PDB file of all heavy atoms in Angstrom:
ATOM      1  N   THR A 102      -4.197   5.768   5.260  1.00 85.00           N
ATOM      2  CA  THR A 102      -4.409   5.064   6.532  1.00 85.00           C
ATOM      3  C   THR A 102      -4.782   6.107   7.587  1.00 85.00           C
ATOM      4  O   THR A 102      -5.868   6.085   8.124  1.00 85.00           O
ATOM      5  CB  THR A 102      -3.165   4.275   6.981  1.00 85.00           C
ATOM      6  OG1 THR A 102      -2.055   5.169   7.101  1.00 85.00           O
ATOM      7  CG2 THR A 102      -2.850   3.150   6.031  1.00 85.00           C
ATOM      8  N   ASP A 223       8.682  -1.122  -5.740  1.00 91.00           N
ATOM      9  CA  ASP A 223       9.003  -2.347  -6.471  1.00 91.00           C
ATOM     10  C   ASP A 223       9.773  -1.940  -7.720  1.00 91.00           C
ATOM     11  O   ASP A 223      10.013  -0.751  -7.958  1.00 91.00           O
ATOM     12  CB  ASP A 223       7.747  -3.185  -6.780  1.00 91.00           C
ATOM     13  CG  ASP A 223       6.794  -2.493  -7.737  1.00 91.00           C
ATOM     14  OD1 ASP A 223       7.244  -1.794  -8.665  1.00 91.00           O
ATOM     15  OD2 ASP A 223       5.570  -2.665  -7.558  1.00 91.00           O
ATOM     16  N   VAL A 245      22.120   6.913  -0.907  1.00 98.00           N
ATOM     17  CA  VAL A 245      22.601   6.938  -2.291  1.00 98.00           C
ATOM     18  C   VAL A 245      23.148   8.342  -2.544  1.00 98.00           C
ATOM     19  O   VAL A 245      22.465   9.337  -2.321  1.00 98.00           O
ATOM     20  CB  VAL A 245      21.510   6.546  -3.315  1.00 98.00           C
ATOM     21  CG1 VAL A 245      21.207   5.063  -3.231  1.00 98.00           C
ATOM     22  CG2 VAL A 245      20.225   7.328  -3.133  1.00 98.00           C
ATOM     23  N   ILE A 402       8.899 -22.923   7.068  1.00 96.00           N
ATOM     24  CA  ILE A 402       8.042 -21.970   6.356  1.00 96.00           C
ATOM     25  C   ILE A 402       8.421 -21.872   4.878  1.00 96.00           C
ATOM     26  O   ILE A 402       9.578 -21.697   4.522  1.00 96.00           O
ATOM     27  CB  ILE A 402       8.022 -20.569   7.039  1.00 96.00           C
ATOM     28  CG1 ILE A 402       9.431 -19.970   7.156  1.00 96.00           C
ATOM     29  CG2 ILE A 402       7.370 -20.628   8.410  1.00 96.00           C
ATOM     30  CD1 ILE A 402       9.409 -18.485   7.495  1.00 96.00           C
ATOM     31  N   THR A 457       0.336 -42.331  -3.363  1.00 97.00           N
ATOM     32  CA  THR A 457      -1.076 -42.382  -2.972  1.00 97.00           C
ATOM     33  C   THR A 457      -2.003 -42.462  -4.189  1.00 97.00           C
ATOM     34  O   THR A 457      -3.217 -42.533  -4.041  1.00 97.00           O
ATOM     35  CB  THR A 457      -1.444 -41.141  -2.133  1.00 97.00           C
ATOM     36  OG1 THR A 457      -0.873 -39.996  -2.763  1.00 97.00           O
ATOM     37  CG2 THR A 457      -0.947 -41.235  -0.713  1.00 97.00           C
ATOM     38  N   ALA A 516     -17.413 -14.424  -6.393  1.00 98.00           N
ATOM     39  CA  ALA A 516     -18.129 -13.388  -5.641  1.00 98.00           C
ATOM     40  C   ALA A 516     -17.200 -12.236  -5.285  1.00 98.00           C
ATOM     41  O   ALA A 516     -17.568 -11.056  -5.382  1.00 98.00           O
ATOM     42  CB  ALA A 516     -18.724 -13.996  -4.373  1.00 98.00           C
ATOM     43  N   LEU A 517     -15.979 -12.562  -4.896  1.00 98.00           N
ATOM     44  CA  LEU A 517     -15.011 -11.501  -4.544  1.00 98.00           C
ATOM     45  C   LEU A 517     -14.726 -10.624  -5.757  1.00 98.00           C
ATOM     46  O   LEU A 517     -14.690  -9.395  -5.661  1.00 98.00           O
ATOM     47  CB  LEU A 517     -13.711 -12.131  -4.005  1.00 98.00           C
ATOM     48  CG  LEU A 517     -12.566 -11.154  -3.711  1.00 98.00           C
ATOM     49  CD1 LEU A 517     -12.958 -10.125  -2.645  1.00 98.00           C
ATOM     50  CD2 LEU A 517     -11.309 -11.891  -3.243  1.00 98.00           C
ATOM     51  N   SER A 564     -29.839 -30.480  -8.070  1.00 94.00           N
ATOM     52  CA  SER A 564     -30.953 -30.313  -7.112  1.00 94.00           C
ATOM     53  C   SER A 564     -30.937 -28.900  -6.540  1.00 94.00           C
ATOM     54  O   SER A 564     -31.991 -28.271  -6.382  1.00 94.00           O
ATOM     55  CB  SER A 564     -30.833 -31.306  -5.955  1.00 94.00           C
ATOM     56  OG  SER A 564     -30.761 -32.584  -6.460  1.00 94.00           O
ATOM     57  N   ASP A 584     -23.354 -30.524 -21.854  1.00 96.00           N
ATOM     58  CA  ASP A 584     -24.369 -30.714 -20.807  1.00 96.00           C
ATOM     59  C   ASP A 584     -25.751 -30.362 -21.345  1.00 96.00           C
ATOM     60  O   ASP A 584     -25.911 -29.369 -22.050  1.00 96.00           O
ATOM     61  CB  ASP A 584     -24.024 -29.811 -19.611  1.00 96.00           C
ATOM     62  CG  ASP A 584     -25.003 -29.983 -18.463  1.00 96.00           C
ATOM     63  OD1 ASP A 584     -26.155 -29.536 -18.603  1.00 96.00           O
ATOM     64  OD2 ASP A 584     -24.613 -30.569 -17.452  1.00 96.00           O
ATOM     65  N   ALA A 591     -31.419 -23.643 -16.603  1.00 97.00           N
ATOM     66  CA  ALA A 591     -30.731 -22.368 -16.350  1.00 97.00           C
ATOM     67  C   ALA A 591     -31.234 -21.254 -17.267  1.00 97.00           C
ATOM     68  O   ALA A 591     -31.721 -21.505 -18.367  1.00 97.00           O
ATOM     69  CB  ALA A 591     -29.235 -22.559 -16.541  1.00 97.00           C
TER      70      ALA A 591
END
Side-chain angles (χ1 to χ4, degrees):
T102 58
D223 66 36
V245 288
I402 57 166
T457 44
L517 175 61
S564 305
D584 182 289

